[in-house]
Amino acid sequence: MEDESHNNTLPNGFNTGSPESPFLKTSTTTTQHNKEQDRFLPIANVGRIMKKVIPPNGKISKDAKETVQECVSEFISFVTGEASDKCQREKRKTINGDDVIWAITTLGFEDYVEPLKTYLQKYKEIEGEKLSIPKQMRSEQRLQQHHNNYHDQNNQPFNGAYASSNLISQPPYVPTDQKFSLTFSPNSIQSQLRQQDQIDSVGHWYE
Amino acid sequence: MDQNQHDRLAQEAQYQSNPMMAPTILPTQTYGHSLSSSYPRLHPYDPQAMYQLRQEPLQQQLTNFWAKKRQEIEETTSFKTHSLPLARIKKIMKGEEGVRMVSAEASVVFAKACEMFMMELTIRASGSAEENQRKIIKKCDVASAISRTDVFDFLVDIVSGHNKIMEQQGFVGIPRIGTALTPTENVPYYQMPPHQSLVPGPPYGSSGMVVGMPVHYQNHPGLQTPTMGPTPNPQNSSRDSDS
């Protein structure tokens, strides 16, 4: 609710330049457009992901990107509805990763299940330790937001090279201290060190 | 109920924009000719043989895709960057009726799931473009991919407006796309009042409080409570910077 009202108060021109969709080019500036934009993923992200699986000389029309943009929002709503129903039956308030995977299994996306289980397991291994360090978590969430924006900007060079972009769908990025305000530098350094420790000693840590 | 309204509204918006796309459909009128030249050894109007021939390379593409995805995920070492904005995914999730709290891990899983979904859909649409000797993937290729894939049935409404245009252009004879029209004709469209609100408001007033929902290993009350308190402030600040 708070986020919705906040978005509504922004000038339309400013919203179209928001970091989440830096390359979005549109002439319409109505309030309806803003709300419509909020319920879709940024078309720039959609286009980049689509390009990773087409031949090097292939192209994607704008209406195809827009259609996939609508389809993926529908996919999120479809799966979320199923996961939410399960949570309500079990009298739980929070949808977690396992609920999403369960819903995807139930709805017939068998091929997705194994990769997602592996992905979630890795996420829990790496992020789970942060539960005992609230400050680190706060810092991590802020870093995550910043990295998302930077990643969107930085990922552009990969578009031109199909082979490399296909092989590296999630390029590693190591931020420099200058990217963050001074008040967060100590935490970010500790966070990186801790991350490295966890990764290096995953076997030892959990044995 | 809200979901149906949402679908109808999206459908109506799509329908209104379709006339502008009419010119892009004209080039596909060479459909019959391109098929004949593409497969001279096969009867161009035998849909079963054509379908079998098309399936083989597509299946190989998808098999390679999934193998690559599994390897890629095995090699994942960082969850700091995602190909999709997590905040937007979370917002779309919360637009669903009855959804209260969404954990960070759910958004992360969805980011990966959506990436795979879009890639699979694009691979199938790319196959459709190749059948028509085109290098540009068009909306009708996405529609074709959806109509041929069972798990994508829930998307038929989103692309059926385009199929209507195809019908008007005289493509009723295309077997695969034609069959997709039958079920859609039974679904009521455009019955929603035009002044209906685009996006339903959040169902719970407390949704703003859970924007900074922390990551938690399990849905454990003891772990959940201490971390909820401090998170709203920095998360709100982050969201402001995003906007």
Side-chain angles (χ1 to χ4, degrees), chain B residues 2-61:
Chain B
D2 285 348
Q3 184 62 44
N4 287 337
Q5 289 176 344
H6 173 85
D7 286 341
R8 292 195 198 107
L9 180 62
Q11 187 60 60
E12 182 171 332
Q14 187 173 339
Y15 180 79
Q16 289 172 351
S17 67
N18 272 328
M20 301 177 62
M21 294 164 25
T24 66
I25 297 173
L26 293 179
T28 62
Q29 288 180 346
T30 59
Y31 185 92
H33 175 71
S34 62
L35 278 179
S36 300
S37 61
S38 302
Y39 307 101
R41 298 183 182 179
L42 292 176
H43 194 288
Y45 304 108
D46 183 354
Q48 190 61 32
M50 302 282 285
Y51 189 68
Q52 287 297 331
L53 184 62
R54 287 196 298 262
Q55 284 296 287
E56 218 163 272
L58 179 64
Q59 286 302 324
Q60 188 61 41
Q61 256 185 292

Side-chain angles (χ1 to χ4, degrees), chain A:
Chain A
M1 176 178 287
E2 180 177 355
D3 297 326
E4 289 288 336
S5 62
H6 181 76
N7 284 336
N8 288 339
T9 59
L10 287 176
N12 292 332
F14 179 78
N15 188 273
T16 55
S18 71
E20 284 188 351
S21 51
F23 311 115
L24 185 67
K25 298 173 183 176
T26 174
S27 58
T28 175
T29 56
T30 63
T31 304
Q32 274 199 353
H33 175 75
N34 280 343
K35 281 185 177 290
E36 188 163 307
Q37 183 179 329
D38 272 348
R39 63 187 180 92
F40 292 142
L41 296 175
I43 197 164
N45 297 71
V46 171
R48 278 199 297 273
I49 290 172
M50 292 177 75
K51 283 176 183 173
K52 291 176 179 175
V53 292
I54 64 173
N57 62 345
K59 289 184 172 60
I60 308 169
S61 70
K62 186 180 181 187
D63 62 331
K65 291 178 190 175
E66 288 172 350
T67 300
V68 172
Q69 191 186 26
E70 291 180 39
C71 289
V72 69
S73 287
E74 189 68 15
F75 173 74
I76 294 172
S77 298
F78 189 48
V79 174
T80 299
E82 198 73 16
S84 175
D85 289 347
K86 179 177 191 282
C87 285
Q88 290 181 37
R89 285 196 298 269
E90 300 178 1
K91 301 190 191 306
R92 288 188 284 109
K93 291 183 178 179
T94 306
I95 296 176
N96 58 42
D98 289 311
D99 297 322
V100 174
I101 296 178
W102 177 87
I104 283 173
T105 309
T106 300
L107 296 173
F109 296 91
E110 286 96 1
D111 289 326
Y112 296 47
V113 175
E114 181 191 331
L116 289 178
K117 283 183 176 177
T118 303
Y119 193 70
L120 178 57
Q121 183 184 2
K122 274 177 169 280
Y123 179 81
K124 287 179 175 178
E125 286 172 1
I126 294 178
E127 302 289 328
E129 283 305 309
K130 292 182 169 54
L131 283 174
S132 57
I133 315 174
K135 287 187 177 179
Q136 289 290 340
M137 190 181 306
R138 225 184 304 165
S139 166
E140 189 66 23
Q141 284 179 355
R142 181 176 288 272
L143 293 185
Q144 190 174 62
Q145 287 295 325
H146 183 87
H147 292 168
N148 281 345
N149 297 338
Y150 190 91
H151 180 74
D152 287 347
Q153 297 278 354
N154 195 43
N155 203 36
Q156 198 174 13
F158 287 96
N159 289 344
Y162 170 77
S164 64
S165 66
N166 191 41
L167 292 173
I168 312 172
S169 71
Q170 286 187 326
Y173 166 68
V174 181
T176 60
D177 291 338
Q178 287 85 1
K179 297 294 180 182
F180 310 106
S181 64
L182 288 177
T183 56
F184 283 92
S185 293
N187 287 335
S188 68
I189 294 174
Q190 292 175 16
S191 171
Q192 291 172 45
L193 291 176
R194 188 164 197 86
Q195 279 269 313
Q196 194 167 4
D197 287 344
Q198 290 178 35
I199 295 171
D200 290 345
S201 60
V202 163
H204 171 72
W205 194 272
Y206 288 102
E207 281 178 355

Side-chain angles (χ1 to χ4, degrees), chain B residues 112-154:
Chain B
K112 182 57 67 176
C114 290
E115 187 182 296
M116 295 193 290
F117 169 83
M118 285 189 273
M119 286 179 165
E120 181 186 3
L121 187 51
T122 303
I123 290 172
R124 293 179 183 277
S126 180
S128 176
E130 287 172 13
E131 289 165 14
N132 294 284
Q133 295 286 287
R134 280 189 279 98
K135 292 180 179 177
I136 302 178
I137 296 172
K138 295 178 179 296
K139 180 171 182 173
C140 59
D141 299 313
V142 180
S144 179
I146 288 168
S147 67
R148 295 175 183 176
T149 314
D150 287 344
V151 291
F152 292 159
D153 275 354
F154 68 100

Side-chain angles (χ1 to χ4, degrees), chain B residues 184-224:
Chain B
T184 59
E185 288 171 357
N186 297 327
V187 180
Y189 288 125
Y190 322 125
Q191 296 179 352
M192 184 180 56
H195 50 79
Q196 179 75 29
S197 173
L198 267 172
V199 178
Y204 301 103
S206 63
S207 61
M209 298 297 294
V210 298
V211 169
M213 181 55 55
V215 180
H216 60 279
Y217 201 89
Q218 295 174 352
N219 196 15
H220 194 282
L223 287 175
Q224 188 170 348

